[in-house]
Structures are given as structure tokens and as C-alpha cells.
């Protein structure tokens, strides 16, 4: 794993949260986009060598809506940048980690991603992400 790529923060209202984080970080979000497969709208802030991703649910049954209902707003996941997501999936499975996605999915900010189940990572939802350089893995 190369670095912490971003911290994902679940929020109820993306527009209001963007204002708060813009004041906090001193920069505007560089991107806002929707990820239909996950039922979220996201915005990203650069913070030096890593990023902050704010996530708002776009439907009541999305993972973010369920997270906020159960735990409230706050840190949802830690994402790590990897060079070869398929090799990391194989390595982590061999080490006993539970991978939630069968294959890498296209996500926000031009990334392939998979999540590791929090039960196998001391209660922390971990995301692995790799820059999409070509359309096939």
C-alpha cells in the first residue's frame, strides 16, 4: 500500500458540508460527482498528499444512508492507494481479510476500488483504490 489516498466522511448534506470543509481546509472541493452503483454523491478536497472525500446518500437504502442512520455523520472509511489492486486483493485474501467486492469497481475520482469488511480490520472499513489508467484490469 503506497499511502492513505483519502478519508471518506459520511455527511447528511453535501452542500452544507462542502462549505464547512472549505473553511476548515482553506480550499474548495476540486470535484463533485455521483456514483450511482453506491448510491452516493461525493466531493473531494486536496489536503497535501492525501484527500478528504465527503459522501452524501442519494437514496434511503444506500450504504451511506444506513451508516448515518446507525452511527451518525463521521469517518466512514480509510482508503489506501495501491499500485496493483488485483495483486493486493489476492494477497489480502491469503492473509485472511474479507474482501466485500468480487471484482474491482469503477468509483469516484477515476479509481478502481474494493472494500475490506470491517470485521476483518478491527472495525474499520478499508478501501483499496487504484488510478484507472486503462479501461480493463
Amino acid at each position: 500500500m503506497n499511502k492513505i489516498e483519502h478519508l471518506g466522511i459520511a455527511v447528511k448534506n453535501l452542500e452544507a458540508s462542502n462549505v464547512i470543509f472549505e473553511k476548515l481546509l482553506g480550499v474548495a472541493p476540486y470535484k463533485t460527482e455521483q456514483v450511482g452503483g453506491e448510491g452516493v454523491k461525493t466531493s473531494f478536497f486536496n489536503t497535501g498528499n492525501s484527500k478528504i472525500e465527503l459522501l452524501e446518500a442519494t437514496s434511503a437504502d444506500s450504504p451511506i444512508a444506513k451508516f448515518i442512520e446507525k452511527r451518525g455523520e463521521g469517518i466512514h472509511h480509510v482508503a489506501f492507494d495501491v499500485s496493483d489492486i488485483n495483486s493486493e486483493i489476492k494477497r489480502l485474501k491469503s492473509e485472511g481479510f474479507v474482501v466485500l467486492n468480487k471484482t474491482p469497481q469503477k468509483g469516484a475520482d477515476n479509481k478502481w476500488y474494493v472494500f475490506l469488511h470491517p470485521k476483518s480490520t478491527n472495525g474499520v472499513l478499508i478501501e483499496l483504490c487504484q488510478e484507472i489508467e486503462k479501461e480493463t484490469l
Side-chain angles (χ1 to χ4, degrees), residues 31-89:
K31 179 187 280 190
T32 300
E33 63 184 291
Q34 196 158 328
V35 182
E38 291 292 327
V40 297
K41 187 174 175 184
T42 68
S43 62
F44 286 89
F45 292 82
N46 277 319
T47 58
N49 292 329
S50 56
K51 303 173 210 160
I52 299 293
E53 176 188 28
L54 302 181
L55 303 117
E56 174 189 61
T58 57
S59 67
D61 63 344
S62 77
I64 294 300
K66 291 175 184 176
F67 178 89
I68 289 174
E69 183 179 310
K70 186 176 180 180
R71 298 188 177 147
E73 294 180 293
I75 294 178
H76 178 259
H77 66 271
V78 178
F80 290 93
D81 174 69
V82 298
S83 300
D84 183 341
I85 197 165
N86 289 311
S87 293
E88 279 300 300
I89 291 169

Side-chain angles (χ1 to χ4, degrees), residues 14-28:
L14 192 62
E15 283 187 32
S17 297
N18 280 341
V19 170
I20 292 167
F21 276 83
E22 187 170 341
K23 289 177 185 177
L24 175 69
L25 301 171
V27 295

Side-chain angles (χ1 to χ4, degrees), residues 86-101:
N86 289 311
S87 293
E88 279 300 300
I89 291 169
K90 185 177 177 181
R91 180 184 76 80
L92 292 167
K93 280 183 177 180
S94 75
E95 293 286 349
F97 293 94
V98 178
V99 179
L100 293 173
N101 310 84

